[in-house]
Amino acid sequence: MRSVFLLLAGLAAGAFLAPQAHADSASAVVGKMQPLTDGAAVYQHVCQGCHMPDGKGALGSGARFPALAGNAKLASGDYPIYVVLNGYGGMPWFSGMLTDKQVSDVVNYVRSHFGNHYTDIVKPEDVAGQRPAINPEQE
């Protein structure tokens, strides 16, 4: 009888608790986000949580977020476009979240900041040419 009482008490208590939040992806966030009108804004709101404000990346607890600072892989603009659109390793894809302009803006930003001095500009048309026909979310 005591176990039935405890079960009923637990169920009643659960009725007053807030539902459990599920945040298993960046797209699970609902609501308005401020406009990301330049590469610095995209980096600040999308990238720096993992790659850090100084672009030096992070390592710990089994996770590795590569440094963008002084990264020779950024020499070709095609590489960071591909990674932002399609993801790589543990990094999620952003093809369904960012516009071609936002991708080109953030790629140009990381290629010209954090000790990087790549001056050839990536254009939104360059991003459009690499954009997957079907976003990974649609597969």
Side-chain angles (χ1 to χ4, degrees), residues 35-46:
L36 303 176
T37 57
D38 63 18
V42 175
Y43 185 83
Q44 181 182 8
H45 292 283
V46 178

Side-chain angles (χ1 to χ4, degrees), residues 80-95:
I81 291 171
Y82 178 86
V83 172
V84 171
L85 290 177
N86 298 290
Y88 183 78
M91 181 177 150
W93 56 86
F94 293 98
S95 57

Side-chain angles (χ1 to χ4, degrees), residues 21-40:
H22 298 282
D24 57 355
S25 73
S27 62
V29 178
V30 178
K32 290 193 174 220
M33 186 162 69
Q34 74 181 44
L36 303 176
T37 57
D38 63 18

Side-chain angles (χ1 to χ4, degrees), residues 74-78 107-108 111-112 117-123 126:
L74 300 176
S76 168
D78 289 336
V107 166
N108 289 325
R111 292 181 75 229
S112 61
H117 302 288
Y118 305 113
T119 57
D120 55 313
I121 302 297
V122 169
K123 298 180 200 98
D126 300 326

Side-chain angles (χ1 to χ4, degrees), residues 43 47-48 50-58 65-71 74 109-110 113-116:
Y43 185 83
C47 311
Q48 85 174 8
C50 296
H51 295 284
M52 300 295 117
D54 60 5
K56 292 185 178 175
F65 303 102
L68 300 172
N71 189 329
L74 300 176
Y109 178 78
V110 299
H113 288 78
F114 313 121
N116 299 315

